[in-house]
Amino acid sequence: MSKQYPVRGMGPNLKKVLLATVSAAVAGASASAAFAQEAATAEVDEIVVTGFRKSLSDARAIKQDSVIQVDAIVAEDMAKFPDLNLAESLQRLPGVQINREAGEGRRISLRGLGPDFARVQLNGMEVLGNVDSAQDSRGQRSRDRAFDFNIFASELFSRVEVEKTFEAAQKEGGMAGTVGLFTGKPFDYGTGADGALSLKVGTNEYTEDTQPRIAALFTQNWDNVFGVSFSAAYSKRETTEQGHNTYNRSNPSAATMQSLVTKGLNISGLSAAQRAKFLSGDLYFADGNRISSWNAEQERLGLTAAVQWRPMDGMELTLDVLHGEFTTRRNEYHLATRPLASTGSVAFDTAAGGVWPSIFQSASVINGLTWDSDNYVTMTDVTGATFGSEHRRSLNENKFNQVALTGEWEMSDRLKFDGHVGWEKSTYDTPYDDKLYMRAKGNLIANYGENGQSASFEYPNWDPTNPANYAMDSFYYRAFNNESELHEGELNARYELNDTWTLRAGVAYHKFRQQGEDLFYDDNVNGTRSKMRGTAVGDVTSVFTNAFGSWLVGDYDKAFAKYNEYHRLEQNKDGTGGALQDIENVYETTEETLSGFVQGDWDSELFGRRFRGNIGLRGYSTDTHSTGWIQGDNYAYLGTTDVEGSYEGVLPAMNSVLEVTPELLVRFSATQNLNRPGLGSMAAEGSAFQDSSGKITASRGNPNLEPYKDNTLDFAVEYYFGDVGLMSASLFHKDIKNFIETVRFTDVPFSETGVPYSTIPGATASTIVNEFSMPVNKEGRVELTGLELAAQSQLSFLPAPFDNLGVVANYTYIDMPDDLTGISKTSYNATVYYETDRWGARASLNYRDKWYTGYNTAVMSASTRGFEGGTYVDAAAFFNITESLQLTFDAVNLTNEKDTQFWGQNEYLYNQNQSGTTYTAGLTYKF
């Protein structure tokens, strides 16, 4: 079915609406004052706020008290974060957008910048914990700076804070903002013993499995002198994503098309105009027409421990330990066009030849063909298409460990010290990532709609479940691993000069290391082609069915037994197969930073109103070092390059808050911050080749890249009322430089490339490299401007029982260039809740519009990729059986939203899948 997309109008010029925005916010706040005063007269001596309202109230207090721009989410109770996933909670904050994996939040984009620009800290330490995606189009296992929030169970955390403006006391980095994750501490709870146990069970409408989710927390506080706490969370679930997708697009030349016809491709059924167009070389074909199912079993385990000690008055020590594991056992099933004697992965083929059975020895017949005004083929009707049935299995193991010791010491009423030392390590391992290929011959009508933005596949007069239509092909064996490690320490001092000014200063040390490698043992070298290709499949297959069709898939255990195979990255024990050749992304990168700051905090009056803020400078010096493999033809190892770099600078920052009244706040910030370059750009890995004419080409990463830098202005008006009431408007502008692009240099001596000249036989330091490419910082600046509007209120002015209703809503608009990827220009979300002492329920809606992951101005360039807008609806409810026992219910992705990816300026369909609605019910007991 074809999906219609509305025409999107131009967004507002936000620079011009600054004064209008502020005026409207102040006017709105004034209009609400009467309501707030009226509500205040109805207050009793004490109101005890609990549940979701309490989490809103506590988060509001953090925002109101802070000097910098902060939004927060606070756990409703022990081991009870408001959502099943941290990313899904964060998406409810203004300026935050998320992408999803199997229906669960994965990464965030913040304030106009993509996931690589949002820094995440755990208990005060920066954290990088990467998990994988089933799809390459999502950045499958990229080694980057983005944090995957699905690695941790949400129950382990007591609060999350998003710092949107920078202050000198914060370590540099995270140009979009800093997300702080905090686990519970013993002194956060009352004296004595406390605990909570949560037992939940869920299922998904597609998988229909049983999904247990268990969390427990225990804390013992001895009179706020010594305390210990422990928490654990475990969950297990099956996931599936099902849908249509292509690999990319293919644009075969006229010569290629003519050669296929010469080899027997039958186009006689096409009209003369269609035949001419087919042979012109102008057409773009979907490079793969595929129905797919990404199925996985996921297990998540999290453990935390904290010890707090006050050895004397004014001194507090906290030791935090966290361990996380996220394991995915994935089975993917695809039925895709995979020609044996054609081009790319198009739907038509010629005679296969070789060992293939007779059904593969006939060329395809193209019965019908349509295309649009940009020559994209929107429909093909083919008899005798060649298919590939791919069963891909993988085991992905992610582990994260952190140990952090934090100290605070009030040496006197005026002088205080604080700091921490810590270590953390994150590993991502894929012991196996294997592919079992079979081929099939059959008929296909692939229709992408008139606009190329939908997909429907038909298989007329052909049974995709009949083994007679299939033949075995081969195995692929692969494995991946990477590792990140961080050592960090900082020491800060605070001295109260007088009632107005407090002086703060500190130093920090940060050493980050990342390494890894990817191992590919494809069928052209592992020897499985000669064993398997063309043989019968009846004894090694089963029928797989999802919402889009049924087809045969290979069974690993049966096929391994039949062909004497096993997962391996070396020659088979029976002597078949050659040496592993394809080893990629072999590099190690380290960053070592020494930084320091000085900052003055003030709390005074301006025109008789409270005026507070801070102003300071942060200096930094970073040394980088990267070693990486240089590879040549067939990924042959040619040598190792070793490159060092460094950069340093000073970042000023000023944040201020004017309290027009205790309820009405006006904020202004002017700051500079940085974002360190992507790990892939810094990696010293590369390549070197010499062709038959003697021409040399080489490439490598660049550890000497300068960081991104921004100048940010932020203006906000906030009005606070009632127990949870808040209205705010924020306008920010970022001016960013040092974006990175890959540049090609010509006629460069080997000595200037950083690539060892020994990689080319006979070369010397002065040998000319004809073409050398490397990432560099490009000239120019990128500007973006954003508007955030937020409101939340308990609707206590309504008559009972409606006075228990409440609403939370926000809206974000970003005015930015299209080639700034990873962010939607418009997003909004809303939550409606109803809560009493006994029971409560809430429903949330989240929307983000179209966003790019790559951008190119050419209409038909596949470098332009992105996601269509989507709306997700979630719900939750609780019932307090007793004061200690609570029944809960959660529903995630109630509308089973489609996740749609596109390529090209015309937004042709690339991937579209659905993951189903997940339901969870459970009991929570507090003691």
Side-chain angles (χ1 to χ4, degrees):
M1 184 175 69
S2 178
K3 179 179 178 181
Q4 300 299 317
Y5 292 86
V7 176
R8 297 181 176 88
M10 294 293 292
N13 187 326
L14 297 180
K15 298 178 185 177
K16 295 182 179 179
V17 302
L18 173 59
L19 293 178
T21 301
V22 174
S23 299
V26 173
S30 300
S32 300
F35 154 69
Q37 291 172 358
E38 181 180 345
T41 61
E43 291 181 357
V44 296
D45 292 339
E46 181 180 3
I47 296 177
V48 178
V49 181
T50 60
F52 186 65
R53 278 197 299 161
K54 182 178 185 302
S55 71
L56 292 176
S57 179
D58 291 346
R60 187 188 74 159
I62 292 173
K63 180 179 182 69
Q64 187 173 9
D65 294 341
S66 175
V67 171
I68 63 175
Q69 271 269 39
V70 172
D71 285 305
I73 302 166
V74 179
E76 300 176 39
D77 213 324
M78 301 177 70
K80 193 176 186 300
F81 213 74
D83 289 278
L84 298 178
N85 179 280
L86 290 176
E88 290 160 10
S89 290
L90 285 167
Q91 74 175 335
R92 311 201 194 289
L93 298 177
V96 179
Q97 301 165 358
I98 71 170
N99 68 350
R100 295 178 181 248
E101 181 75 28
E104 183 176 344
R106 183 184 178 195
R107 292 182 166 189
I108 71 166
S109 299
L110 177 62
R111 282 202 151 191
L113 295 169
D116 247 18
F117 294 86
R119 177 175 54 185
V120 178
Q121 292 181 324
L122 172 61
N123 293 323
M125 288 184 61
E126 187 169 351
V127 55
L128 286 88
N130 293 334
V131 299
D132 76 311
S133 167
Q135 297 182 29
D136 297 331
S137 55
R138 292 194 186 121
Q140 185 179 6
R141 51 176 59 85
S142 53
R143 292 155 67 176
D144 52 26
R145 296 186 184 276
F147 179 74
D148 289 303
F149 283 88
N150 53 358
I151 194 172
F152 294 135
S154 60
E155 292 92 343
L156 299 176
F157 299 92
S158 59
R159 74 181 192 277
V160 175
E161 297 181 4
V162 180
E163 298 180 352
K164 296 181 176 179
T165 58
F166 175 68
E167 63 178 347
Q170 173 65 284
K171 287 188 290 295
E172 72 286 347
M175 203 163 66
T178 295
V179 179
L181 311 178
F182 299 90
T183 56
K185 308 293 189 293
F187 293 166
D188 294 342
Y189 308 102
T191 59
D194 286 293
L197 176 64
S198 175
L199 303 174
K200 297 180 180 180
V201 64
T203 191
N204 178 276
E205 66 172 301
Y206 285 166
T207 61
E208 298 182 350
D209 63 318
T210 300
Q211 303 180 359
R213 189 177 180 106
I214 304 169
L217 184 146
F218 173 80
T219 180
Q220 175 71 53
N221 181 347
W222 287 275
D223 299 321
N224 288 326
V225 174
F226 187 80
V228 295
S229 65
F230 305 93
S231 66
Y234 172 81
S235 63
K236 183 178 181 179
R237 69 172 188 144
E238 292 182 19
T239 68
T240 184
E241 294 180 89
Q242 304 176 8
H244 303 98
N245 57 102
T246 70
Y247 307 122
N248 207 308
R249 58 105 175 113
S250 181
N251 179 215
S253 67
T256 297
M257 303 304 273
Q258 182 60 59
S259 70
L260 295 176
V261 173
T262 301
K263 292 178 182 177
L265 179 64
N266 189 339
I267 61 173
S268 61
L270 300 179
S271 69
Q274 289 175 323
R275 290 196 299 271
K277 192 68 173 180
F278 183 82
L279 294 170
S280 69
D282 295 334
L283 293 178
Y284 294 83
F285 294 87
D287 195 19
N289 302 275
R290 188 164 77 162
I291 54 174
S292 299
S293 191
W294 293 269
N295 299 345
E297 295 180 0
Q298 296 180 347
E299 285 189 87
R300 183 188 287 112
L301 173 67
L303 304 171
T304 74
V307 179
Q308 287 187 296
W309 181 35
R310 291 187 176 127
M312 61 181 183
D313 290 342
M315 179 177 286
E316 181 176 300
L317 300 174
T318 302
L319 177 66
D320 284 297
V321 179
L322 184 144
H323 172 76
E325 296 182 10
F326 186 60
T327 302
T328 304
R329 294 172 176 85
R330 182 175 292 116
N331 284 279
E332 302 172 28
Y333 304 99
H334 309 282
L335 181 64
T337 54
R338 281 283 180 137
L340 290 165
S342 185
T343 179
S345 295
V346 295
F348 40 87
D349 203 358
T350 61
V355 298
W356 295 102
S358 59
I359 60 170
F360 293 91
Q361 303 304 333
S362 298
S364 302
V365 179
I366 302 181
N367 306 306
L369 190 72
T370 63
W371 59 89
D372 67 9
S373 59
D374 288 305
N375 293 322
Y376 182 65
V377 175
T378 56
M379 188 280 291
T380 53
D381 180 348
V382 179
T383 298
T386 304
F387 294 88
S389 172
E390 176 186 347
H391 178 186
R392 175 172 167 178
R393 64 161 200 172
S394 63
L395 171 63
N396 305 285
E397 300 172 324
N398 306 272
K399 295 182 180 180
F400 179 89
N401 293 288
Q402 183 195 73
V403 180
L405 176 63
T406 304
E408 300 178 4
W409 182 25
E410 294 187 16
M411 197 172 180
S412 68
D413 291 340
R414 291 181 177 270
L415 181 61
K416 301 177 182 179
F417 293 94
D418 69 79
H420 72 255
V421 293
W423 165 87
E424 63 189 29
K425 186 174 183 179
S426 174
T427 59
Y428 165 77
D429 287 302
T430 300
Y432 60 82
D433 184 342
D434 300 336
K435 295 183 181 182
L436 193 167
Y437 270 115
M438 301 188 303
R439 304 283 181 157
K441 199 74 169 179
N443 309 324
L444 171 67
I445 301 175
N447 193 331
Y448 286 92
E450 292 183 2
N451 56 12
Q453 296 174 347
S454 62
S456 65
F457 300 148
E458 299 177 49
Y459 306 97
N461 303 313
W462 178 59
D463 181 5
T465 66
N466 184 353
N469 294 324
Y470 288 78
M472 287 298 296
D473 195 333
S474 59
F475 285 111
Y476 285 47
Y477 304 122
R478 305 181 180 190
F480 310 88
N481 69 82
N482 65 63
E483 175 183 290
S484 301
E485 189 170 17
L486 173 67
H487 295 82
E488 185 175 281
E490 67 173 64
L491 177 64
N492 306 310
R494 176 195 301 259
Y495 184 72
E496 187 177 322
L497 296 172
N498 51 47
D499 291 342
T500 299
W501 284 96
T502 298
L503 180 66
R504 299 168 64 186
V507 295
Y509 173 79
H510 180 104
K511 185 174 183 179
F512 168 74
R513 177 186 63 85
Q514 215 245 20
Q515 66 178 10
E517 63 179 2
D518 301 340
L519 309 175
F520 300 85
Y521 197 35
D522 291 349
D523 64 344
N524 60 328
V525 291
N526 66 27
T528 58
R529 281 185 187 176
S530 58
K531 287 184 178 182
M532 302 168 58
R533 180 162 280 186
T535 59
V537 305
D539 54 347
V540 293
T541 56
S542 60
V543 176
F544 176 79
T545 301
N546 69 3
F548 297 92
S550 298
W551 66 97
L552 283 188
V553 297
D555 183 297
Y556 274 90
D557 291 337
K558 294 177 180 177
F560 275 169
K562 179 177 179 179
Y563 298 105
N564 191 26
E565 278 296 324
Y566 53 95
H567 171 79
R568 55 188 173 86
L569 297 171
E570 58 189 5
Q571 191 177 47
N572 195 310
K573 295 174 183 177
D574 65 10
T576 57
L580 176 68
Q581 299 174 356
D582 190 352
I583 305 174
E584 301 178 32
N585 293 320
V586 183
Y587 64 85
E588 177 175 297
T589 299
T590 61
E591 288 177 341
E592 191 169 12
T593 299
L594 184 64
S595 62
F597 79 95
V598 59
Q599 177 173 301
D601 295 60
W602 76 81
D603 193 338
S604 61
E605 290 188 352
L606 180 66
F607 306 122
R609 308 297 183 183
R610 186 184 181 193
F611 184 50
R612 51 194 172 95
N614 59 54
I615 186 168
L617 297 171
R618 185 169 196 94
Y620 59 91
S621 177
T622 298
D623 295 321
T624 63
H625 182 201
S626 183
T627 60
W629 279 20
I630 301 298
Q631 294 174 290
D633 292 318
N634 297 318
Y635 306 99
Y637 169 70
L638 303 178
T640 300
T641 188
D642 189 311
V643 186
E644 295 182 351
S646 65
Y647 51 84
E648 58 187 21
V650 176
L651 303 170
M654 187 278 291
N655 298 269
S656 62
V657 183
L658 177 64
E659 298 188 2
V660 180
T661 71
E663 296 81 21
L664 181 61
L665 276 57
V666 178
R667 299 180 183 272
F668 177 72
S669 299
T671 63
Q672 288 185 356
N673 200 358
L674 62 81
N675 210 88
R676 294 189 163 85
L679 297 174
S681 299
M682 294 173 56
E685 66 162 344
S687 62
F689 300 92
Q690 185 174 38
D691 64 19
S692 58
S693 67
K695 179 181 178 181
I696 299 174
T697 59
S699 67
R700 68 166 173 85
N702 185 5
N704 208 27
L705 287 168
E706 291 288 321
Y708 305 88
K709 285 188 178 179
D710 76 335
N711 296 309
T712 297
L713 300 177
D714 192 291
F715 188 88
V717 178
E718 301 163 1
Y719 181 71
Y720 298 83
F721 57 92
D723 295 326
V724 300
L726 166 66
M727 293 196 307
S728 68
S730 177
L731 189 66
F732 61 89
H733 178 74
K734 289 181 178 289
D735 184 321
I736 308 168
K737 67 177 183 178
N738 289 346
F739 276 86
I740 296 170
E741 64 180 349
T742 298
V743 174
R744 182 173 297 170
F745 304 91
T746 58
D747 299 330
V748 180
F750 244 124
S751 59
E752 296 181 12
T753 65
V755 177
Y757 59 81
S758 58
T759 55
I760 300 297
T764 67
S766 59
T767 297
I768 296 298
V769 176
N770 303 91
E771 291 185 7
F772 171 65
S773 57
M774 180 177 69
V776 299
N777 296 109
K778 64 181 179 181
E779 299 292 331
R781 312 179 80 91
V782 174
E783 296 187 26
L784 65 89
T785 306
L787 172 67
E788 296 174 356
L789 302 175
Q792 63 185 48
S793 177
Q794 180 72 28
L795 305 182
S796 54
F797 59 88
L798 294 176
F802 303 106
D803 55 343
N804 291 315
L805 277 169
V807 293
V808 182
N810 61 65
Y811 168 86
T812 301
Y813 179 80
I814 308 293
D815 184 7
M816 63 183 186
D818 286 334
D819 59 358
L820 197 59
T821 60
I823 200 79
S824 297
K825 290 191 174 184
T826 301
S827 61
Y828 56 81
N829 60 77
T831 298
V832 178
Y833 65 91
Y834 186 94
E835 194 167 81
T836 70
D837 292 339
R838 194 66 182 269
W839 68 277
R842 63 181 181 269
S844 298
L845 177 148
N846 180 271
Y847 169 81
R848 66 179 297 186
D849 71 355
K850 177 183 70 177
W851 53 287
Y852 293 103
T853 57
Y855 189 82
N856 190 295
T857 56
V859 172
M860 300 300 289
S861 172
S863 298
T864 296
R865 294 186 183 183
F867 289 76
E868 291 293 352
T871 303
Y872 285 83
V873 180
D874 306 321
F878 73 87
F879 179 79
N880 292 325
I881 301 172
T882 68
E883 290 186 359
S884 300
L885 186 62
Q886 184 181 81
L887 175 66
T888 62
F889 176 80
D890 296 276
V892 178
N893 190 18
L894 271 169
T895 58
N896 191 15
E897 181 72 359
K898 291 181 179 178
D899 186 64
T900 303
Q901 293 175 266
F902 62 82
W903 71 268
Q905 294 291 341
N906 293 333
E907 300 179 23
Y908 296 127
L909 184 69
Y910 184 32
N911 285 320
Q912 186 176 77
N913 50 65
Q914 294 172 274
S915 56
T917 304
T918 298
Y919 303 94
T920 304
L923 291 171
T924 300
Y925 179 70
K926 297 187 298 182
F927 56 90

